[in-house]
Each structure stands twice: as C-alpha cells, then as structure tokens.
Amino acid sequence: GNSVTQMEGPVTLSEEAFLTINCTYTATGYPSLFWYVQYPGEGLQLLLKATKADDKGSNKGFEATYRKETTSFHLEKGSVQVSDSAVYFCALSDRWGAAGNKLTFGGGTRVLVKP
Amino acid sequence: DAGVTQSPTHLIKTRGQQVTLRCSPKSGHDTVSWYQQALGQGPQFIFQYYEEEERQRGNFPDRFSGHQFPNYSSELNVNALLLGDSALYLCASSLDGQGVNTGELFFGEGSRLTVL
C-alpha cells in the first residue's frame, strides 16, 4: 500500500535560517504529492503540490520538487520567519484526475522558528 | 465564504459510549472525507462520502460509520468507544463529483474526542 515517511521533529531554527524537511514515499503508479501545513489552532491547509515527475511546487517561499527516481518530495525554504512555526505534513494521492481524492499522510514535522 | 465547519470542537466520552461528530463542507463542495489524527501523528483516512454514499473506506472497523445528507453535510458515528479512539477527527471537503479533481482538500479545525 501507499506510505509516506518524513523526518521527525521538532526542528528548531533561528529566523532567516534555511529549512529542509525530508519526505519519501512508496506508492503504486504515479501519485500526486502535497505538503500541508497546520498552524497552531488552525486546520490543515494546502501549502503546495506537484502532480508529475520533475514538477516543482512553490508557495509562500517554500518549494518542493517531485523526484521520481528517489521517490522524494523534500520541502525547502531559504529564509524562515517566526510565522513559519507550524507542523508540516507530506502527503500523496494516487487518484489525481479521478473522483475520490484520498490522501496518505506522513507523521508530520513540527518546526519552531525562534527570533 | 464559510470554510469547513465541524462540531463539537471538544468532547469527552467514556468507554462503550457512542459519539456523533458533524461537518459542513465548504460552500460548493460535494464530497466529504473524514480523517483520524492521533496525538503526534499524521491524519489517517477513515472514509469518504459522495452523493450520500460511502465511496471509499480506510482500515477502520465497522464501529466507525457515517452519513451524508442531501445538503452535502456529513456525520461521523463511532460506537462502543475504546480508549484508543481518543484523537482529533478531521473533516475535509472537496469538489470532485464531476471528476474535476484538483487534489486539494479543505480541512476543518477538527473535533477533539477524549475517551475515558
């Protein structure tokens, strides 16, 4: 079955530091890949996505590239802010374009950015 | 535009009891999915409803059941509660009834269930 593995946290950084959160996946076929973010006291929200190999998703300064050869979708940001403190979830869906989108999530990585 | 709303936000039950959680999808969405998020873990798919029927189901026992109403809102029911059912239950909505699947789910803030 499908699975997603991401690095465990917490990850503690200083403001303006570089952030990388590793994510690898196991899936049949060609899944779509996502990063969701959960800010304190809020629901999960989509951060970025990529639907095919070599696609790069980007949003709010975050980027992730769909690497089929390494089955990875690592999240990066060049200069983090205190407001980026949140829990980040890597996820996949194998039903792109078809009805019934179902996500398989990783365990989440808590990121804490200190001023 | 109201997003996904869930109720109640918190509740406490005892083992063996039954619970009903409610979800109103984002305006214009026709599909509702439910996820269970245990403390410190990622959400796990329970099931999905479309056109008032269960379309997909994850690895959860029959104690977990649901319903979708004609206005697309949904309920999650859990019978014979166990301590291990304590978790944050997330509702997510999407518009893919016409096969237009953007891959994005919109999540509510969840209902936190504690079983004592």
Side-chain angles (χ1 to χ4, degrees):
Chain A
N2 297 337
S3 67
V4 176
T5 302
Q6 60 183 107
M7 60 188 289
E8 292 190 16
V11 175
T12 303
L13 303 164
S14 297
E15 218 168 12
E16 299 183 2
F18 184 87
L19 171 67
T20 298
I21 304 176
N22 291 337
C23 171
T24 57
Y25 67 89
T26 301
T28 55
Y30 302 95
S32 295
L33 302 174
F34 306 86
W35 278 99
Y36 277 78
V37 58
Q38 189 172 36
Y39 297 105
E42 299 183 17
L44 278 83
Q45 53 188 275
L46 179 66
L47 180 61
L48 53 83
K49 67 181 180 187
T51 60
K52 60 183 187 297
D54 299 325
D55 265 4
K56 177 185 285 187
S58 61
N59 186 27
K60 299 182 180 180
F62 289 89
E63 293 183 341
T65 300
Y66 189 140
R67 301 289 188 198
K68 187 172 182 293
E69 63 276 12
T70 55
T71 62
S72 65
F73 193 54
H74 304 320
L75 182 68
E76 297 181 336
K77 186 173 185 181
S79 177
V80 294
Q81 305 299 314
V82 172
S83 58
D84 294 324
S85 298
V87 182
Y88 293 81
F89 293 93
C90 185
L92 70 80
S93 169
D94 61 2
R95 297 184 69 86
W96 171 256
N101 186 33
K102 178 183 80 171
L103 295 178
T104 300
F105 285 90
T109 302
R110 181 175 299 278
V111 173
L112 177 61
V113 181
K114 296 186 174 181
Chain B
D1 178 21
V4 179
T5 58
Q6 294 187 241
S7 63
T9 54
H10 294 82
L11 69 167
I12 299 173
K13 294 286 187 178
T14 57
R15 281 179 298 175
Q17 285 190 312
Q18 179 263 344
V19 67
T20 297
L21 308 178
R22 296 175 177 81
C23 171
S24 291
K26 179 178 169 64
S27 178
H29 284 183
D30 59 7
T31 302
V32 173
S33 302
W34 287 92
Y35 289 78
Q36 181 195 66
Q37 185 179 12
L39 195 62
Q41 297 183 23
Q44 290 202 319
F45 176 76
I46 303 175
F47 43 52
Q48 181 181 87
Y49 278 83
Y50 168 67
E51 289 190 339
E52 303 179 47
E53 291 192 358
E54 184 182 289
R55 180 161 63 180
Q56 292 190 78
R57 189 178 184 91
N59 294 325
F60 281 80
D62 292 345
R63 297 186 298 108
F64 289 76
S65 64
H67 189 78
Q68 185 180 34
F69 300 93
N71 66 353
Y72 306 119
S73 66
S74 176
E75 289 183 349
L76 164 65
N77 301 291
V78 187
N79 295 322
L81 284 168
L82 304 173
L83 296 180
D85 295 331
S86 295
L88 181 67
Y89 288 85
L90 298 169
C91 173
S93 73
S94 57
L95 174 62
D96 56 4
Q98 298 177 5
V100 180
N101 183 2
T102 66
E104 179 174 4
L105 297 182
F106 289 80
F107 285 83
E109 293 184 23
S111 295
R112 183 165 298 282
L113 170 66
T114 301
V115 182
L116 302 176

